[in-house]
Amino acid sequence: MTHRDASSRRNLPFPARTALSWAAALALGLTAAGCGSAPERPDPPSSPPSAGGATRTGSAAADTRAQLRVDGGVRSYLLHRPGGHDGGARPLVVAFHGRGSSAQELREQTRLDAAADARGMLVAYPEGLRKAWGAGSGATRQRPNPDADVRFTTSLVAELVRSGQADPRRVYVTGFSNGGSMALRVAAQCPTLLAGAASVSGELPTGRAAVTPTGALPVMVVYGEDDPVRPPAGLATPGPAPAGEEPITPTMSVRAGAEAFARAGGEGPPATRTGPGYDRTVWGREASRATVEVLLVHGGGHTWPGSHHTPPAGFGRTSTALDATRTILDFFAAHRR
């Protein structure tokens, strides 16, 4: 570090210096744990507005598209800031879109922005390579480096902490389908990065791409009981992928995945009770750090419960018995590191 750099850092206000210290510790800790690499110097945020409208400042919510250099390449993400954002560090939700989708489509599907605004949360929507995520640990022809997306995620979190926007004690991941499996992978491999994780219609990869939880972390899984795309019982022998696309990753059952997280957290036997339109199974005390929950939605398909987004043909019914977005953010708000 040059004298000028050191002097500039001393002149930073205390919260900014704290964020820098957290980011440095985060990068070193995650690298040592195998969760990712230290973030490279990012490109400045791009000025064009997001697809949802013009970038806004002041008391209104603001959206920006930005880029981050990771593994010698450039990755992009959409960042939503809550209205009335005062510049202080906020809880951060990293939301992964599904296979064949995009950040903007996930925003529309989940309406995360409005729910996050009400809770003062930032939402970062990273863009997957070839519109998909390396949710499994096995290399493929299309994705020879199976850890690239984990490093992208940890670098994104580190950058938002370093810039003072995100509170390192309140970082969460969620996602839908392939993005839900990606959220579970980050939760399994990097529990010290997060305060909580939630997946909708996503399961833990198994087989050659297996991912195993490595520590205690609050985890919620929301799943449609009648999911025709990736059944709750898991997908042991996936069908072939379309020509040129990544192979479909095999996954364990919803319950087996939840049990794996519960074991990693040292939780005991589960308890199940029926709610209005879904069954809720909980491993551990609801107030404990390692609480694991499964919400099995009656009649639900491969969809985001409570969404007004029309799912593709063959994905099944979207249940309105549960607002998955509000339920997940309430779950996150109850936990911090």
Side-chain angles (χ1 to χ4, degrees):
M1 178 183 295
T2 66
H3 175 76
R4 180 179 178 182
D5 290 337
S7 176
S8 298
R9 183 165 177 168
R10 283 196 300 271
N11 291 332
L12 287 171
F14 179 74
R17 284 188 279 118
T18 302
L20 283 169
S21 299
W22 267 105
L26 178 67
L28 289 173
L30 293 175
T31 300
C35 293
S37 58
E40 303 172 35
R41 183 178 295 277
D43 293 336
S46 55
S47 58
S50 72
T55 299
R56 297 177 297 276
T57 58
S59 62
D63 302 327
T64 56
R65 285 197 177 274
Q67 295 179 330
L68 191 68
R69 290 194 177 276
V70 185
D71 293 339
V74 177
R75 303 293 299 268
S76 63
Y77 63 95
L78 174 65
L79 182 65
H80 176 79
R81 297 178 182 83
H85 187 54
D86 59 4
R90 296 295 187 100
L92 168 66
V93 178
V94 180
F96 300 99
H97 61 73
R99 180 179 177 129
S101 187
S102 67
Q104 179 60 26
E105 289 174 348
L106 184 66
R107 294 178 76 196
E108 296 169 357
Q109 178 184 21
T110 62
R111 296 187 178 182
L112 266 171
D113 290 357
D117 284 351
R119 294 162 177 80
M121 293 176 164
L122 297 169
V123 186
Y125 300 90
E127 298 281 5
L129 293 174
R130 304 180 186 88
K131 294 193 172 185
W133 299 102
S137 60
T140 66
R141 179 180 300 177
Q142 297 82 358
R143 199 178 297 266
N145 186 340
D147 298 324
D149 287 330
V150 176
R151 285 195 293 272
F152 175 30
T153 304
T154 58
S155 294
L156 173 58
V157 171
E159 170 57 21
L160 293 176
V161 169
R162 183 203 65 78
S163 62
Q165 299 179 78
D167 180 350
R169 295 185 181 276
R170 295 181 291 173
V171 176
Y172 313 92
V173 291
T174 189
F176 174 70
S177 191
N178 171 237
S181 293
M182 184 66 207
L184 293 178
R185 180 180 183 184
V186 176
Q189 292 186 208
C190 309
T192 59
L193 173 70
L194 306 174
S199 169
V200 177
S201 299
E203 298 168 316
L204 270 180
T206 188
R208 292 181 60 251
V211 173
T212 303
T214 57
L217 184 73
V219 174
M220 171 179 283
V221 178
V222 179
Y223 222 90
E225 186 177 44
D226 295 335
D227 189 325
V229 176
R230 195 174 286 273
L235 202 59
T237 55
E245 293 190 14
E246 293 185 58
I248 306 298
T249 304
T251 52
M252 63 180 67
S253 72
V254 172
R255 188 176 183 93
E259 289 172 343
F261 278 107
R263 284 194 301 272
E267 298 294 352
T272 301
R273 64 174 182 264
T274 299
Y278 59 92
D279 293 334
R280 183 169 182 258
T281 301
V282 178
W283 286 258
R285 302 182 309 278
E286 292 185 32
S288 76
R289 168 167 169 73
T291 296
V292 177
E293 301 186 23
V294 171
L295 304 182
L296 191 63
V297 181
H298 301 162
H302 194 74
T303 56
W304 187 282
S307 173
H308 296 284
H309 185 270
T310 301
F315 274 43
R317 186 174 70 88
T318 301
S319 172
T320 57
L322 175 72
D323 186 329
T325 296
R326 292 184 179 179
T327 300
I328 288 169
L329 294 191
D330 286 346
F331 179 75
F332 288 165
H335 298 281
R336 68 170 62 198
R337 291 201 295 124

